[in-house]
Amino acid sequence: MQGAVDLQLPWNNRFASLGEAFFAPLQPTPLPAPYWVGTSAAVARWAGWEGAHLQNPDLLQALSGNRPLAGSEPLASVYSGHQFGQWAGQLGDGRAILLGEVNGLEVQLKGAGRTPFSRMGDGRAVLRSSIREFLASEATHSLGIPTTRALCVTGSDAPVRRETLETAAVVTRLAPSFIRFGHFEHFCHHGMPDELKALADFVIDHHYPDCRRDPRWGGNPYVALLAAVTARTADMVAHWQSVGFCHGVMNTDNMSILGLTIDYGPFQFMDAYDPAHICNHSDNTGRYAFYKQPNVAYWNLFCLGQAMMPLIDEQDQAIAALETFKDLYPRALARRMAAKLGLAHPQDTRPQNDYEMAAPAPVIEGVLTLLAAGKVDFTIFWRQLSHWVRDGGDAGSRDAVRDLFLDRGGFDAWLLSYSELLAHIPRAQAADLMLKTNPKFVLRNHLGEQAIEAARQKDFRMVADLLRVLEAPFDEHPDCESWAGFAPDWAAQISISCSS
Ligand code: AMP
Ligand code: MG
């Protein structure tokens, strides 16, 4: 291995300060002859890295595991978790290596080789799943949803065996922290109360300092932490539901302690609206079906609460903190749905109850029932409805929405009740909100698939073009109109599983 690459980055590796009960130090495994597959200048800017770094051949080597980055302290962290509802024991970073922290953001290489936690795995990620994670992270972020982010993907022709032979890639991803619910479960389950406390204190001090001053919960900062994670998780999942995002594998080791969308694997932005949709082909029982996501999040939060009990003692307090989900989640969803209907303003200073009054549940439920019955494309419907509002109720725009439904009578009745609500709000204001809330573009499976197919032939233009469009999903992008259209029939055949 050649010498370290020094980009003069201000490393401050706080996770490493926790000590070796939390991780195994190790170097990434080199990947032969790497090349850039996709890079995000926006993420480089956000992270305070020089944009020019993403043309630097030394960085290409470093992010592919071929040379160390000066100042980094690579490690794989240990965690446990519940997978598909069962206690799975110790897991850990089986193929992700944390390089350290720069400007408050941890830098992780996913697919960087085997670690002590790889179990049967090869420590690698394939080009297909890496492009999906790269594009999805940025698409999700641009929709305003909390998520880990992706700086770049580097690829190599090194073969990786999955169902078929594929090639290797590494995603460089960034987040203020990659700590998961499973980290807490690990130290509770293995009877390590000192480490559990050190972990909780680390998370509070660096990410939730207000928990030390929260007057609720009997002044217990750990209950306050549980309540804060509950609130962030409720908000994240409400946001997912409002854009038709299905995570696919909501195991507790894939739940971020910061309420970030994390570990993009068999996820899907739904095409036709189907609440029972299962995007992960390995999910035989439909545990992670779209409509179950809020309940699963709640279940996962209980696992976190259970793991924190040695710190909390007061079971009633912990349950009360967890139960805030039952109020927070529906309110967050109602706010999101009201905005989709143009009936609320995100910057509105009125008390939250007013949002709900502005979008009564029957109107929201009514439209979702119609969308499900007609298997209507979720993204296209909301965008067309936004156009109808923008165009002042014009008949042509109405027909464009109406034609999406088989049950035209049902739609007409719904539109009438919706119009009555809209009448109380200036049209332009409602239209403006809707066009900023209902994206024109989401990362549909078939678009990702086309970009992946081209990338396999070493044509990375569609990765770059899709990134550009998904970074501004509310803009029109007339040059990419077809990406806003219906999924082709073959999209239903795309099989996405846990194996990636
Ligand atoms: P996931 O559900 O993809 O987040 O992965 C669950 C666990 O399996 C985590 O501990 C991963 O690090 C590990 N894992 C997944 N794929 C691999 C792989 N190819 N090699 C080693 N570990 C893996
Ligand atoms: Mg995972």
Side-chain angles (χ1 to χ4, degrees), residues 180 253-254 263:
R180 301 138 191 277
D253 54 300
N254 290 338
D263 279 10

Side-chain angles (χ1 to χ4, degrees), residues 267 326 339:
F267 71 85
K326 287 199 240 168

Side-chain angles (χ1 to χ4, degrees), residues 153-188:
V153 177
T154 65
S156 161
D157 291 345
V160 176
R161 178 156 292 286
R162 294 292 180 262
E163 277 92 358
T164 60
L165 209 55
E166 305 193 39
T167 59
V170 177
V171 188
T172 301
R173 55 183 192 177
L174 307 179
S177 171
F178 286 96
I179 294 175
R180 301 138 191 277
F181 292 9
H183 281 93
F184 286 79
E185 291 179 279
H186 181 77
F187 294 107
C188 173

Side-chain angles (χ1 to χ4, degrees), residues 52 92 108 120 276 280-281 294 420 455 458 489-490:
Q108 211 184 55
M120 307 298 282
N280 177 355
H281 287 237
E420 284 166 10
K458 301 269 166 43
D489 289 341
W490 61 265

